[in-house]
Amino acid sequence: MRLTTRTATYIKIKISNIVKEYNLTYPIDPFILCEKMGYVLVKYSDLSPEVIEKYKNKNKNGFKIEDSDGTIYIIYNDIKDIRIIKFTILHEIGHIVLGHLEESELAETQANFFAGFLLAPPVIIIYLNICDDINKISKVFGITYSCADSSNNRANSRKKYGPDYLEDYEQIFMDLAKGVIIWLYLKH
């Protein structure tokens, strides 16, 4: 399922507001973001057998639950690859931020877009000049090849507008792109 341009733009603006509000840097650390947003992270390996049985029909990568006092728990499968864990946590944050109250194909598409865009914004991929290098996108942003491929496709679609055109919500990512270059330099 594809998102409408209007819906995608709405999600991008939500993401840029989160990046700004929580003073995020790249590469994104979903564990820190959860802490800043007040969500409680729980590993599958910390769940009791009773809880596992109760939620056995939920997604095997992770899911969110809210208890009666309003506390939101994001449960994630800690035996998965860290790149999948990061995506899963941001996917669940996407459901929360976008106000999804029930499961649907549209909600899943929106949460996937949210996580992928937040992990690897197209303007940063373009700024780093790593379009079409899925392996490098994956390494720089710490994401799966599948997520890197989707992010690359978004970056290539974005390139058609040229380097001089920036949406208001994209400026925050351009400001952060310089930090990514410094981080890459220090890492290598």
Side-chain angles (χ1 to χ4, degrees), residues 10 14 18 37 39 92-100 114:
Y10 171 79
K14 282 276 202 193
I18 287 169
M37 295 182 91
Y39 306 141
E92 295 307 324
I93 290 174
H95 282 306
I96 297 162
V97 167
L98 299 172
H100 296 155
F114 178 94

Side-chain angles (χ1 to χ4, degrees), residues 46-142:
D46 290 340
L47 298 175
S48 68
E50 298 80 27
V51 172
I52 291 171
E53 178 63 26
K54 181 177 179 181
Y55 294 105
K56 68 182 178 188
N57 293 326
K58 291 285 191 180
N59 186 297
K60 300 300 181 214
N61 288 334
F63 57 93
K64 66 173 176 57
I65 55 175
E66 185 172 351
D67 71 11
S68 58
D69 71 357
T71 302
I72 296 175
Y73 298 87
I74 296 177
I75 292 79
Y76 67 95
N77 190 339
D78 52 319
I79 63 168
K80 297 286 186 176
D81 181 288
I82 188 63
R83 299 169 304 170
I84 293 171
I85 292 170
K86 287 169 54 175
F87 185 90
T88 299
I89 292 169
L90 292 177
H91 173 96
E92 295 307 324
I93 290 174
H95 282 306
I96 297 162
V97 167
L98 299 172
H100 296 155
L101 301 176
E102 51 190 57
E103 294 178 21
S104 70
E105 184 181 354
L106 178 60
E108 289 304 303
T109 300
Q110 290 176 352
N112 284 339
F113 181 84
F114 178 94
F117 192 95
L118 180 53
L119 283 165
V123 294
I124 296 181
I125 293 170
I126 295 165
Y127 184 82
L128 296 176
N129 198 26
I130 57 175
C131 283
D132 300 321
D133 189 338
I134 305 304
N135 191 42
K136 189 163 270 185
I137 294 169
S138 175
K139 285 182 180 174
V140 167
F141 295 99

Side-chain angles (χ1 to χ4, degrees), residues 15-28:
I15 291 167
S16 69
N17 289 338
I18 287 169
V19 168
K20 197 180 309 179
E21 180 179 349
Y22 294 101
N23 199 27
L24 301 181
T25 58
Y26 280 86
I28 293 292

